[in-house]
């Protein structure tokens, strides 16, 4: 189905709910933590819960390092967008790093 006419806020909420259903229960029960899905679109848009996480993280880093909040937030957003761009490029063209090939002929496996 096409999501062309669906507002971004609704798409973000739908993806957040989907992630919470998939991972939320396991994180709470097995790992004993809280789960906040970090939902972004490929253009760099950020969902509400991700914005809350970024604000909390920026506030803590700003208080710890005594750097201005705005600079910390700008730095985090820039780093996230470059990571998103890198992952999109790898998905489109593949990874161009050389893969280290190990010689398994001389490797002993202890079972």
């Amino acid at each position: 189905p096409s999501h062309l006419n669906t507002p971004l806020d609704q798409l973000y909420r739908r993806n957040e709910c989907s992630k919470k259903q998939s991972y939320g229960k396991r994180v709470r029960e097995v790992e004993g933590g809280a789960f906040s899905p970090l939902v972004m679109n490929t253009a760099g848009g950020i969902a509400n819960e991700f914005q809350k996480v970024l604000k909390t993280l920026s506030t803590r880093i700003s208080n710890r390092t005594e750097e201005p909040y705005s600079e910390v937030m700008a730095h985090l957003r820039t780093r996230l967008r470059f990571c998103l761009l890198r992952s999109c490029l790898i998905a489109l063209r593949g990874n161009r790093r050389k893969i280290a090939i190990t010689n398994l002929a001389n490797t002993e496996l202890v079972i």
Side-chain angles (χ1 to χ4, degrees):
S2 176
H3 299 291
L4 184 62
N5 296 323
T6 309
L8 278 177
D9 290 342
Q10 187 177 358
L11 291 173
Y12 288 147
R13 274 194 307 271
R14 188 181 304 159
N15 285 327
E16 285 176 338
C17 289
S18 171
K19 297 287 184 191
K20 282 182 182 180
Q21 287 176 351
S22 299
Y23 304 110
K25 184 178 179 182
R26 181 181 62 86
V27 170
R28 281 190 307 275
E29 292 178 0
V30 176
E31 299 177 17
F35 179 73
S36 293
L38 305 181
V39 177
M40 292 179 79
N41 66 15
T42 56
I46 299 173
N48 288 337
E49 286 202 42
F50 198 175
Q51 287 178 352
K52 290 176 188 176
V53 170
L54 274 179
K55 286 179 183 179
T56 303
L57 186 61
S58 296
T59 302
R60 289 184 181 182
I61 292 172
S62 175
N63 291 338
R64 189 184 71 216
T65 61
E66 298 179 359
E67 292 183 32
Y69 171 83
S70 59
E71 289 181 14
V72 174
M73 179 64 91
H75 178 74
L76 286 176
R77 286 182 175 164
T78 302
R79 292 285 308 259
L80 283 168
R81 289 193 172 117
F82 273 103
C83 289
L84 178 67
L85 178 63
R86 186 180 313 121
S87 66
C88 288
L89 288 174
I90 288 172
L92 288 174
R93 71 171 193 207
N95 195 351
R96 293 191 178 186
R97 291 183 183 173
K98 294 192 180 217
I99 299 172
I101 299 174
T102 58
N103 187 359
L104 296 177
N106 297 330
T107 305
E108 290 184 29
L109 296 176
V110 179
I111 298 177

